[in-house]
Coordinates of all heavy atoms in Angstrom, one line a residue:
M183 N -20.6 62.3 3.8 CA -20.1 63.2 4.8 C -21.1 64.2 5.1 O -21.7 64.9 4.2 CB -18.8 63.8 4.3 CG -18.0 64.4 5.3 SD -16.3 65.0 4.8 CE -15.6 63.6 4.0
A184 N -21.3 64.5 6.4 CA -22.3 65.4 6.9 C -21.7 66.8 7.0 O -20.5 67.0 7.4 CB -22.8 64.9 8.2
T185 N -22.5 67.8 6.7 CA -22.0 69.2 6.8 C -23.1 70.0 7.6 O -24.3 69.9 7.2 CB -21.9 69.9 5.4 OG1 -20.9 69.2 4.7 CG2 -21.4 71.3 5.6
T186 N -22.7 70.6 8.7 CA -23.7 71.4 9.4 C -23.1 72.8 9.7 O -21.9 73.0 9.7 CB -24.0 70.8 10.8 OG1 -22.7 70.7 11.5 CG2 -24.6 69.4 10.7
T187 N -24.0 73.8 9.8 CA -23.5 75.1 10.2 C -24.0 75.4 11.6 O -25.2 75.3 11.9 CB -24.1 76.2 9.2 OG1 -23.7 75.8 7.9 CG2 -23.7 77.5 9.5
N188 N -23.1 75.8 12.4 CA -23.4 76.2 13.8 C -24.1 77.5 13.9 O -23.5 78.5 13.3 CB -22.1 76.1 14.7 CG -22.4 76.4 16.1 OD1 -22.8 77.5 16.5 ND2 -22.1 75.4 16.9
T189 N -25.2 77.6 14.5 CA -26.0 78.8 14.6 C -25.3 79.8 15.5 O -25.6 81.0 15.4 CB -27.4 78.6 15.0 OG1 -27.4 77.9 16.2 CG2 -28.2 77.8 14.0
T190 N -24.5 79.4 16.4 CA -23.9 80.3 17.4 C -22.6 81.0 16.7 O -22.5 82.2 16.8 CB -23.4 79.6 18.6 OG1 -24.6 78.9 19.2 CG2 -22.9 80.5 19.7
T191 N -21.8 80.2 16.1 CA -20.5 80.7 15.6 C -20.6 81.0 14.1 O -19.8 81.7 13.5 CB -19.4 79.7 15.8 OG1 -19.6 78.5 15.2 CG2 -19.2 79.5 17.3
G192 N -21.6 80.4 13.3 CA -21.6 80.5 11.9 C -20.6 79.7 11.2 O -20.6 79.7 10.0
R193 N -19.9 78.9 11.9 CA -18.8 78.1 11.3 C -19.4 76.8 10.7 O -20.3 76.2 11.3 CB -17.8 77.7 12.4 CG -16.7 76.8 11.9 CD -15.6 76.5 12.9 NE -16.2 76.2 14.2 CZ -15.4 76.0 15.2 NH1 -14.1 76.1 15.2 NH2 -16.0 75.7 16.4
T194 N -19.0 76.4 9.6 CA -19.5 75.2 8.9 C -18.5 74.1 9.3 O -17.3 74.2 9.2 CB -19.5 75.4 7.4 OG1 -20.4 76.4 7.1 CG2 -20.0 74.1 6.7
T195 N -19.1 72.9 9.7 CA -18.3 71.8 10.2 C -18.7 70.7 9.2 O -19.8 70.4 9.0 CB -18.7 71.4 11.6 OG1 -18.5 72.5 12.4 CG2 -17.9 70.3 12.1
T196 N -17.6 70.0 8.7 CA -17.8 68.8 7.9 C -17.1 67.6 8.6 O -16.0 67.8 9.1 CB -17.1 69.0 6.5 OG1 -17.7 70.2 5.9 CG2 -17.3 67.9 5.6
G197 N -17.8 66.6 8.6 CA -17.3 65.4 9.3 C -18.1 64.2 9.0 O -19.1 64.2 8.3
T198 N -17.7 63.1 9.5 CA -18.4 61.8 9.3 C -19.1 61.4 10.5 O -18.7 61.8 11.6 CB -17.4 60.7 8.8 OG1 -16.5 60.5 9.9 CG2 -16.7 61.0 7.6
G199 N -20.2 60.7 10.4 CA -21.0 60.3 11.5 C -21.5 61.4 12.4 O -22.1 62.3 11.9
T200 N -21.1 61.4 13.6 CA -21.6 62.3 14.6 C -20.6 63.4 14.9 O -20.8 64.3 15.8 CB -22.0 61.7 15.9 OG1 -20.8 61.0 16.4 CG2 -23.1 60.6 15.7
D201 N -19.5 63.5 14.1 CA -18.5 64.6 14.3 C -19.1 66.0 14.4 O -18.8 66.7 15.3 CB -17.4 64.5 13.3 CG -16.5 63.3 13.5 OD1 -16.7 62.6 14.5 OD2 -15.7 63.0 12.6
P202 N -20.0 66.3 13.4 CA -20.5 67.7 13.5 C -21.4 68.0 14.7 O -21.4 69.1 15.3 CB -21.4 67.8 12.2 CG -20.8 66.8 11.3 CD -20.4 65.7 12.2
L203 N -22.0 67.0 15.3 CA -22.9 67.1 16.5 C -22.0 67.4 17.7 O -22.2 68.3 18.5 CB -23.7 65.9 16.7 CG -24.8 65.6 15.7 CD1 -25.4 64.3 16.0 CD2 -25.8 66.7 15.7
W204 N -20.8 66.7 17.7 CA -19.9 66.9 18.8 C -19.3 68.3 18.7 O -19.0 69.0 19.7 CB -18.8 65.8 18.9 CG -19.4 64.5 19.4 CD1 -19.7 63.4 18.7 CD2 -19.7 64.2 20.8 NE1 -20.2 62.4 19.5 CE2 -20.2 62.9 20.8 CE3 -19.7 65.0 21.9 CZ2 -20.6 62.3 21.9 CZ3 -20.1 64.3 23.1 CH2 -20.6 63.0 23.1
Q205 N -19.0 68.7 17.5 CA -18.4 70.1 17.3 C -19.4 71.2 17.7 O -19.0 72.2 18.3 CB -18.0 70.3 15.9 CG -17.3 71.6 15.6 CD -16.0 71.8 16.5 OE1 -15.2 70.9 16.4 NE2 -15.9 72.8 17.3
N206 N -20.7 70.9 17.4 CA -21.7 71.9 17.9 C -21.8 72.0 19.4 O -21.9 73.1 19.9 CB -23.1 71.5 17.3 CG -23.2 71.8 15.8 OD1 -22.4 72.6 15.2 ND2 -24.2 71.2 15.2
L207 N -21.7 70.8 20.1 CA -21.6 70.8 21.5 C -20.4 71.5 22.0 O -20.5 72.4 23.0 CB -21.7 69.4 22.0 CG -21.5 69.2 23.6 CD1 -22.7 69.9 24.3 CD2 -21.5 67.7 23.9
A208 N -19.2 71.3 21.5 CA -18.0 72.0 21.8 C -18.2 73.5 21.7 O -17.8 74.3 22.5 CB -16.8 71.5 21.1
D209 N -18.8 73.9 20.5 CA -19.0 75.4 20.3 C -19.9 76.0 21.3 O -19.7 77.1 21.8 CB -19.5 75.6 18.9 CG -18.5 75.2 17.8 OD1 -17.3 75.2 18.1 OD2 -19.0 75.0 16.6
A210 N -21.0 75.3 21.7 CA -21.9 75.8 22.7 C -21.3 75.9 24.0 O -21.5 76.9 24.8 CB -23.2 74.8 22.7
L211 N -20.4 74.9 24.4 CA -19.7 75.0 25.7 C -18.7 76.2 25.6 O -18.6 76.9 26.7 CB -19.0 73.7 26.0 CG -19.9 72.5 26.2 CD1 -19.1 71.2 26.3 CD2 -20.7 72.7 27.5
N212 N -18.1 76.4 24.5 CA -17.1 77.5 24.5 C -17.9 78.8 24.5 O -17.4 79.8 25.1 CB -16.3 77.4 23.2 CG -15.3 76.3 23.2 OD1 -14.8 75.9 24.3 ND2 -15.0 75.7 22.1
A213 N -19.1 78.9 24.0 CA -19.8 80.1 24.0 C -20.3 80.4 25.5 O -20.3 81.6 25.9 CB -21.1 80.0 23.2
L214 N -20.6 79.4 26.3 CA -20.9 79.6 27.7 C -19.7 80.1 28.4 O -19.9 81.0 29.3 CB -21.5 78.2 28.3 CG -22.8 77.8 27.9 CD1 -23.1 76.4 28.4 CD2 -23.9 78.8 28.5
I215 N -18.6 79.5 28.2 CA -17.4 80.0 28.9 C -17.1 81.4 28.5 O -16.7 82.2 29.4 CB -16.2 79.0 28.5 CG1 -16.5 77.7 29.2 CG2 -14.9 79.6 29.0 CD1 -15.5 76.6 28.7
A216 N -17.2 81.8 27.2 CA -17.0 83.2 26.8 C -17.9 84.1 27.5 O -17.6 85.3 27.7 CB -17.1 83.2 25.3
A217 N -19.1 83.7 27.8 CA -20.1 84.5 28.5 C -19.9 84.5 30.0 O -20.7 85.2 30.7 CB -21.5 84.0 28.2
G218 N -18.9 83.9 30.5 CA -18.6 83.8 31.9 C -19.4 82.8 32.7 O -19.5 82.8 33.9
L219 N -20.0 81.9 32.0 CA -20.8 80.8 32.6 C -20.1 79.5 32.5 O -20.3 78.8 31.5 CB -22.2 80.7 31.9 CG -23.1 82.0 32.0 CD1 -24.3 81.8 31.1 CD2 -23.5 82.3 33.4
F220 N -19.2 79.2 33.4 CA -18.4 78.0 33.3 C -19.2 76.8 33.7 O -19.6 76.7 34.9 CB -17.2 78.2 34.2 CG -16.4 79.4 33.8 CD1 -16.5 80.6 34.4 CD2 -15.4 79.2 32.8 CE1 -15.8 81.7 34.0 CE2 -14.6 80.3 32.4 CZ -14.8 81.5 33.0
P221 N -19.5 75.9 32.7 CA -20.4 74.8 33.0 C -19.8 73.7 33.9 O -18.6 73.5 33.8 CB -20.7 74.2 31.6 CG -19.6 74.7 30.7 CD -19.1 76.0 31.3
H222 N -20.6 73.2 34.8 CA -20.2 72.1 35.7 C -21.1 71.0 35.4 O -22.3 71.2 35.3 CB -20.3 72.5 37.2 CG -19.4 73.6 37.6 ND1 -18.9 73.7 38.8 CD2 -19.0 74.7 36.9 CE1 -18.1 74.8 38.9 NE2 -18.1 75.4 37.8
F223 N -20.6 69.8 35.4 CA -21.3 68.6 35.1 C -21.5 67.7 36.3 O -20.5 67.5 37.0 CB -20.7 67.8 33.9 CG -20.6 68.7 32.7 CD1 -19.5 69.4 32.4 CD2 -21.7 68.7 31.8 CE1 -19.4 70.2 31.3 CE2 -21.6 69.5 30.6 CZ -20.4 70.2 30.4
H224 N -22.7 67.3 36.5 CA -23.0 66.5 37.8 C -23.9 65.3 37.4 O -24.4 65.2 36.3 CB -23.8 67.4 38.8 CG -23.1 68.7 39.0 ND1 -22.1 68.9 39.9 CD2 -23.4 70.0 38.4 CE1 -21.7 70.2 39.8 NE2 -22.5 70.8 39.0
D225 N -24.2 64.5 38.4 CA -25.1 63.4 38.3 C -26.0 63.3 39.6 O -25.4 63.1 40.6 CB -24.3 62.1 38.1 CG -25.2 60.9 37.8 OD1 -26.3 61.0 37.5 OD2 -24.6 59.8 37.9
L226 N -27.3 63.5 39.4 CA -28.2 63.3 40.5 C -28.4 61.7 40.6 O -28.7 61.1 39.6 CB -29.5 63.9 40.3 CG -29.6 65.4 40.4 CD1 -31.0 65.9 40.0 CD2 -29.2 65.9 41.7
Y227 N -28.3 61.2 41.8 CA -28.5 59.8 42.0 C -29.0 59.6 43.5 O -28.3 60.0 44.4 CB -27.2 59.1 41.7 CG -27.2 57.6 41.9 CD1 -27.9 56.8 40.9 CD2 -26.7 56.9 43.0 CE1 -28.0 55.4 41.0 CE2 -26.7 55.5 43.1 CZ -27.4 54.8 42.1 OH -27.5 53.4 42.2
G228 N -30.1 58.9 43.6 CA -30.6 58.7 45.0 C -32.1 58.4 45.0 O -32.7 58.1 44.0
A229 N -32.6 58.4 46.2 CA -34.0 58.0 46.3 C -35.0 58.9 45.6 O -36.1 58.6 45.2 CB -34.4 57.9 47.8
R230 N -34.5 60.2 45.5 CA -35.4 61.2 44.9 C -35.8 60.8 43.4 O -36.8 61.2 43.0 CB -34.6 62.6 44.8 CG -35.4 63.7 44.2 CD -34.7 65.0 44.2 NE -34.4 65.4 45.6 CZ -33.2 65.9 46.0 NH1 -32.3 66.1 45.1 NH2 -33.0 66.2 47.2
N231 N -34.8 60.2 42.7 CA -35.1 59.8 41.3 C -35.0 58.3 41.1 O -34.7 57.8 40.1 CB -34.2 60.5 40.3 CG -32.7 60.3 40.7 OD1 -32.4 59.5 41.6 ND2 -31.8 60.9 40.0
D232 N -35.5 57.6 42.2 CA -35.6 56.1 42.1 C -34.3 55.5 41.7 O -34.2 54.5 41.0 CB -36.7 55.7 41.1 CG -37.2 54.3 41.3 OD1 -37.1 53.8 42.4 OD2 -37.7 53.7 40.3
W233 N -33.2 56.0 42.2 CA -31.9 55.5 42.1 C -31.4 55.3 40.6 O -30.7 54.4 40.3 CB -31.7 54.1 42.9 CG -32.0 54.3 44.3 CD1 -33.1 54.0 44.9 CD2 -31.1 54.9 45.3 NE1 -33.1 54.4 46.3 CE2 -31.8 54.9 46.5 CE3 -29.8 55.4 45.2 CZ2 -31.2 55.4 47.7 CZ3 -29.3 55.9 46.4 CH2 -30.0 55.9 47.6
Q234 N -31.9 56.2 39.8 CA -31.5 56.3 38.4 C -30.5 57.5 38.2 O -30.7 58.5 38.8 CB -32.7 56.5 37.5 CG -33.7 55.4 37.5 CD -34.8 55.6 36.5 OE1 -34.6 55.8 35.3 NE2 -36.0 55.7 37.1
H235 N -29.5 57.2 37.4 CA -28.5 58.3 37.2 C -29.2 59.4 36.3 O -29.9 59.1 35.4 CB -27.3 57.8 36.4 CG -26.5 56.9 37.3 ND1 -25.6 57.5 38.2 CD2 -26.4 55.6 37.4 CE1 -25.0 56.5 38.8 NE2 -25.4 55.3 38.3
Q236 N -29.0 60.7 36.7 CA -29.7 61.7 36.0 C -28.7 62.9 35.8 O -28.5 63.7 36.7 CB -30.9 62.2 36.8 CG -31.7 63.3 36.1 CD -33.0 63.6 36.9 OE1 -33.1 63.3 38.1 NE2 -33.9 64.2 36.2
P237 N -28.0 62.9 34.7 CA -27.0 64.0 34.5 C -27.6 65.3 34.3 O -28.7 65.5 33.8 CB -26.3 63.5 33.2 CG -27.3 62.6 32.5 CD -28.1 62.0 33.6
Y238 N -26.9 66.4 34.8 CA -27.3 67.7 34.6 C -26.0 68.6 34.5 O -24.9 68.2 35.0 CB -28.2 68.2 35.7 CG -27.6 68.4 37.0 CD1 -27.2 69.6 37.4 CD2 -27.6 67.3 37.9 CE1 -26.7 69.8 38.7 CE2 -27.1 67.5 39.2 CZ -26.6 68.7 39.6 OH -26.1 68.9 40.9
A239 N -26.2 69.8 33.9 CA -25.1 70.7 33.8 C -25.6 72.1 34.4 O -26.8 72.4 34.2 CB -24.7 71.0 32.4
S240 N -24.8 72.7 35.2 CA -25.1 74.0 35.8 C -23.9 74.9 35.8 O -22.8 74.4 35.4 CB -25.6 73.7 37.2 OG -24.6 73.2 38.0
T241 N -24.1 76.1 36.3 CA -22.9 77.0 36.5 C -22.9 77.5 37.9 O -24.0 77.8 38.5 CB -23.0 78.1 35.5 OG1 -21.8 78.9 35.7 CG2 -24.2 79.0 35.6
A242 N -21.8 77.6 38.5 CA -21.7 78.3 39.8 C -21.5 79.8 39.7 O -21.5 80.5 40.7 CB -20.5 77.6 40.6
A243 N -21.4 80.3 38.5 CA -21.1 81.7 38.3 C -22.3 82.5 38.6 O -22.1 83.7 39.1 CB -20.7 81.9 36.8
H244 N -23.5 82.1 38.4 CA -24.7 82.8 38.7 C -25.7 81.9 39.4 O -26.1 80.8 38.9 CB -25.3 83.3 37.4 CG -24.4 84.3 36.7 ND1 -24.2 85.6 37.1 CD2 -23.7 84.1 35.6 CE1 -23.3 86.1 36.2 NE2 -23.0 85.2 35.3
A245 N -26.2 82.3 40.6 CA -27.0 81.5 41.4 C -28.3 81.1 40.7 O -28.9 80.0 40.9 CB -27.3 82.1 42.7
H246 N -28.9 82.0 39.9 CA -30.2 81.8 39.3 C -30.1 81.4 37.8 O -31.0 81.5 37.1 CB -31.1 82.9 39.5 CG -31.3 83.3 40.9 ND1 -32.1 82.5 41.7 CD2 -30.9 84.3 41.7 CE1 -32.1 83.0 42.9 NE2 -31.4 84.1 42.9
A247 N -28.9 80.9 37.4 CA -28.7 80.5 36.0 C -29.5 79.2 35.8 O -29.7 78.4 36.6 CB -27.2 80.3 35.7
P248 N -30.0 79.0 34.5 CA -30.7 77.8 34.2 C -29.8 76.6 34.3 O -28.6 76.7 34.1 CB -31.2 78.1 32.8 CG -30.6 79.3 32.3 CD -29.9 80.0 33.4
W249 N -30.4 75.5 34.5 CA -29.8 74.2 34.5 C -30.2 73.4 33.2 O -31.3 73.6 32.8 CB -30.1 73.3 35.7 CG -29.4 73.7 37.0 CD1 -28.9 75.0 37.3 CD2 -29.3 72.9 38.1 NE1 -28.4 75.0 38.5 CE2 -28.6 73.7 39.1 CE3 -29.6 71.6 38.4 CZ2 -28.3 73.2 40.3 CZ3 -29.2 71.1 39.7 CH2 -28.6 71.9 40.6
V250 N -29.4 72.6 32.8 CA -29.8 71.6 31.7 C -29.8 70.2 32.4 O -28.7 69.8 32.9 CB -28.8 71.6 30.5 CG1 -29.1 70.6 29.5 CG2 -28.8 73.0 29.9
V251 N -30.9 69.6 32.4 CA -31.1 68.3 33.1 C -31.7 67.3 32.2 O -32.5 67.6 31.3 CB -31.9 68.6 34.3 CG1 -33.3 69.0 34.0 CG2 -32.0 67.3 35.2
F252 N -31.3 66.0 32.4 CA -31.9 64.9 31.6 C -33.2 64.5 32.3 O -33.2 64.1 33.4 CB -30.9 63.7 31.6 CG -31.4 62.6 30.7 CD1 -31.3 62.8 29.3 CD2 -31.8 61.4 31.2 CE1 -31.7 61.8 28.4 CE2 -32.3 60.4 30.3 CZ -32.2 60.6 29.0
D253 N -34.3 64.8 31.6 CA -35.6 64.4 32.1 C -35.9 62.9 31.9 O -35.8 62.4 30.8 CB -36.7 65.2 31.3 CG -38.1 65.1 32.0 OD1 -38.5 64.0 32.3 OD2 -38.7 66.2 32.2
L254 N -36.0 62.2 33.0 CA -36.2 60.8 33.0 C -37.5 60.3 32.3 O -37.5 59.2 31.8 CB -36.0 60.2 34.4 CG -34.6 60.3 35.0 CD1 -34.6 59.9 36.5 CD2 -33.6 59.6 34.2
S255 N -38.5 61.1 32.3 CA -39.8 60.7 31.8 C -39.8 60.9 30.2 O -40.4 60.1 29.5 CB -40.9 61.5 32.4 OG -40.8 62.9 32.1
T256 N -39.1 61.9 29.7 CA -39.1 62.2 28.3 C -37.8 61.6 27.6 O -37.8 61.5 26.4 CB -39.2 63.6 27.9 OG1 -38.0 64.3 28.5 CG2 -40.5 64.3 28.5
R257 N -36.8 61.3 28.4 CA -35.5 60.8 28.0 C -34.8 61.8 27.1 O -34.2 61.4 26.1 CB -35.7 59.4 27.3 CG -36.5 58.4 28.0 CD -35.9 57.9 29.2 NE -34.6 57.2 29.0 CZ -33.8 56.8 30.0 NH1 -34.1 57.2 31.2 NH2 -32.7 56.2 29.8
Q258 N -34.9 63.1 27.4 CA -34.3 64.2 26.6 C -33.8 65.2 27.6 O -34.3 65.4 28.7 CB -35.3 64.8 25.7 CG -35.8 63.9 24.6 CD -36.7 64.7 23.6 OE1 -37.1 65.8 23.9 NE2 -36.9 64.1 22.5
F259 N -32.7 65.9 27.2 CA -32.3 67.0 28.0 C -33.2 68.2 27.8 O -33.7 68.5 26.8 CB -30.8 67.4 27.6 CG -29.8 66.5 28.1 CD1 -29.3 65.5 27.3 CD2 -29.3 66.7 29.4 CE1 -28.4 64.6 27.8 CE2 -28.3 65.9 29.9 CZ -27.8 64.8 29.1
T260 N -33.4 69.0 28.9 CA -34.3 70.1 28.9 C -33.7 71.2 29.8 O -32.9 71.0 30.7 CB -35.7 69.7 29.4 OG1 -36.5 70.8 29.3 CG2 -35.7 69.2 30.9
V261 N -34.0 72.5 29.5 CA -33.6 73.6 30.4 C -34.6 73.7 31.5 O -35.8 73.7 31.3 CB -33.5 74.9 29.5 CG1 -33.2 76.0 30.4 CG2 -32.6 74.7 28.4
S262 N -34.1 73.8 32.7 CA -34.9 73.9 33.9 C -34.2 74.8 34.9 O -33.3 75.6 34.6 CB -35.0 72.4 34.5 OG -35.9 72.5 35.6
S263 N -34.6 74.7 36.2 CA -34.0 75.5 37.2 C -33.5 74.5 38.3 O -33.9 73.3 38.4 CB -35.0 76.5 37.8 OG -36.1 75.7 38.5
R264 N -32.7 75.0 39.2 CA -32.2 74.3 40.3 C -33.3 73.8 41.2 O -33.4 72.6 41.6 CB -31.2 75.1 41.2 CG -30.7 74.4 42.4 CD -29.9 75.4 43.3 NE -29.3 74.7 44.3 CZ -29.9 74.4 45.5 NH1 -31.2 74.7 45.7 NH2 -29.3 73.8 46.4
E265 N -34.3 74.7 41.5 CA -35.4 74.3 42.3 C -36.3 73.2 41.7 O -36.7 72.3 42.4 CB -36.3 75.5 42.6 CG -35.6 76.6 43.4 CD -34.5 77.4 42.7 OE1 -34.6 77.4 41.4 OE2 -33.7 78.0 43.3
R266 N -36.6 73.3 40.4 CA -37.4 72.3 39.8 C -36.7 71.0 39.7 O -37.3 69.9 39.9 CB -37.8 72.8 38.4 CG -38.8 74.0 38.4 CD -39.0 74.5 37.0 NE -39.4 73.5 36.1 CZ -39.3 73.7 34.7 NH1 -38.8 74.9 34.3 NH2 -39.7 72.8 33.9
T267 N -35.4 71.0 39.5 CA -34.6 69.8 39.4 C -34.6 69.1 40.7 O -34.8 67.9 40.8 CB -33.2 70.1 38.9 OG1 -33.3 70.7 37.6 CG2 -32.4 68.8 38.7
H268 N -34.3 69.8 41.8 CA -34.2 69.2 43.1 C -35.5 68.8 43.7 O -35.6 68.0 44.6 CB -33.4 70.2 44.1 CG -31.9 70.1 43.9 ND1 -31.2 69.0 44.2 CD2 -31.1 71.0 43.3 CE1 -29.9 69.2 43.9 NE2 -29.8 70.4 43.4
S269 N -36.6 69.4 43.2 CA -37.9 69.0 43.7 C -38.4 67.7 43.0 O -39.4 67.1 43.4 CB -39.0 70.1 43.4 OG -39.3 70.2 42.0
G270 N -37.6 67.2 42.1 CA -38.0 65.9 41.4 C -38.9 66.1 40.2 O -39.4 65.0 39.7
E271 N -39.1 67.3 39.7 CA -40.0 67.5 38.5 C -39.5 66.7 37.3 O -40.4 66.2 36.6 CB -40.0 68.9 38.2 CG -41.0 69.2 37.1 CD -41.1 70.7 36.8 OE1 -41.1 71.5 37.8 OE2 -41.2 71.1 35.7
H272 N -38.3 66.4 37.2 CA -37.7 65.7 36.0 C -37.4 64.3 36.3 O -36.7 63.6 35.6 CB -36.6 66.5 35.4 CG -36.9 67.9 35.1 ND1 -37.7 68.3 34.1 CD2 -36.5 69.0 35.7 CE1 -37.8 69.6 34.1 NE2 -37.0 70.1 35.0
S273 N -37.8 63.8 37.5 CA -37.4 62.5 37.9 C -38.4 61.4 37.7 O -38.1 60.2 37.9 CB -37.1 62.5 39.4 OG -36.0 63.4 39.7
A274 N -39.5 61.7 37.2 CA -40.6 60.8 36.9 C -40.1 59.8 35.9 O -39.9 60.1 34.8 CB -41.9 61.4 36.6
S275 N -40.0 58.6 36.3 CA -39.6 57.5 35.3 C -40.8 57.1 34.5 O -41.9 57.2 34.9 CB -38.9 56.4 36.0 OG -39.8 55.7 36.9
T276 N -40.5 56.6 33.3 CA -41.5 56.0 32.5 C -42.1 54.8 33.1 O -41.4 54.0 33.7 CB -41.0 55.8 31.1 OG1 -39.9 54.9 31.2 CG2 -40.6 57.1 30.4
T277 N -43.4 54.6 32.9 CA -44.0 53.3 33.4 C -43.7 52.2 32.5 O -43.7 52.4 31.2 CB -45.5 53.5 33.5 OG1 -46.1 53.9 32.3 CG2 -45.8 54.6 34.6
R278 N -43.5 51.0 33.0 CA -43.2 49.9 32.2 C -44.5 49.1 31.8 O -45.4 49.1 32.6 CB -42.3 48.9 33.0 CG -40.9 49.4 33.3 CD -40.1 48.4 34.0 NE -38.8 48.9 34.2 CZ -37.9 48.3 35.0 NH1 -38.2 47.1 35.5 NH2 -36.7 48.8 35.2
K279 N -44.5 48.6 30.6 CA -45.6 47.9 30.2 C -45.6 46.5 30.7 O -44.6 45.9 30.7 CB -45.7 47.9 28.7 CG -45.9 49.2 28.0 CD -46.0 49.1 26.5 CE -46.2 50.4 25.9 NZ -46.2 50.3 24.4
R280 N -46.7 46.0 31.2 CA -46.8 44.7 31.7 C -47.0 43.7 30.5 O -47.6 44.0 29.6 CB -48.0 44.5 32.6 CG -47.9 45.2 33.9 CD -48.9 44.8 34.9 NE -48.4 45.1 36.2 CZ -49.1 44.6 37.3 NH1 -50.2 43.9 37.2 NH2 -48.6 44.9 38.5
R281 N -46.3 42.6 30.7 CA -46.4 41.6 29.7 C -47.5 40.5 29.9 O -47.8 40.2 31.0 CB -45.1 40.8 29.6 CG -44.0 41.7 29.1 CD -42.7 41.0 28.9 NE -41.7 41.9 28.4 CZ -40.5 41.5 28.2 NH1 -40.1 40.3 28.5 NH2 -39.6 42.3 27.7

């Protein structure tokens, strides 16, 4: 059984598998809401990112608030800005190896 301590709330979570990770995500989302930053979840999809789904989270509460976007080249979520995301900075797909 895995045990983790959330750095935001200080609460210790015990669970099996990925339960503690999901609890950490829930705690982080609750912290954003408590700060007045209500997260909205979206999906960029179109010619800009070679028709690949690209999830991101943003807030409408503050125009210049950071975005969390899935970078298609690194295959990880990263903190970015609206401008950088819409300019395609995180849309570069990985190159495929030829066989």
Side-chain angles (χ1 to χ4, degrees):
M183 195 174 304
T185 301
T186 61
T187 301
N188 184 293
T189 57
T190 305
T191 63
R193 179 174 44 184
T194 301
T195 305
T196 303
T198 59
T200 60
D201 291 351
L203 295 174
W204 286 107
Q205 185 59 55
N206 287 345
L207 176 60
D209 291 340
L211 292 171
N212 289 329
L214 286 171
I215 291 169
L219 301 170
F220 299 94
H222 295 216
F223 299 92
H224 312 276
D225 185 16
L226 290 176
Y227 181 74
R230 179 181 302 139
N231 56 4
D232 199 24
W233 300 100
Q234 296 181 60
H235 290 281
Q236 188 174 18
Y238 70 96
S240 66
T241 180
H244 302 284
H246 299 292
W249 284 23
V250 174
V251 62
F252 187 72
D253 191 313
L254 295 173
S255 61
T256 63
R257 311 295 292 170
Q258 293 183 348
F259 282 95
T260 186
V261 176
S262 187
S263 67
R264 177 186 187 279
E265 293 76 20
R266 290 173 53 201
T267 301
H268 281 290
S269 72
E271 183 174 322
H272 307 290
S273 298
S275 60
T276 57
T277 57
R278 294 183 181 174
K279 294 181 181 178
R280 290 189 157 191
R281 293 183 177 179

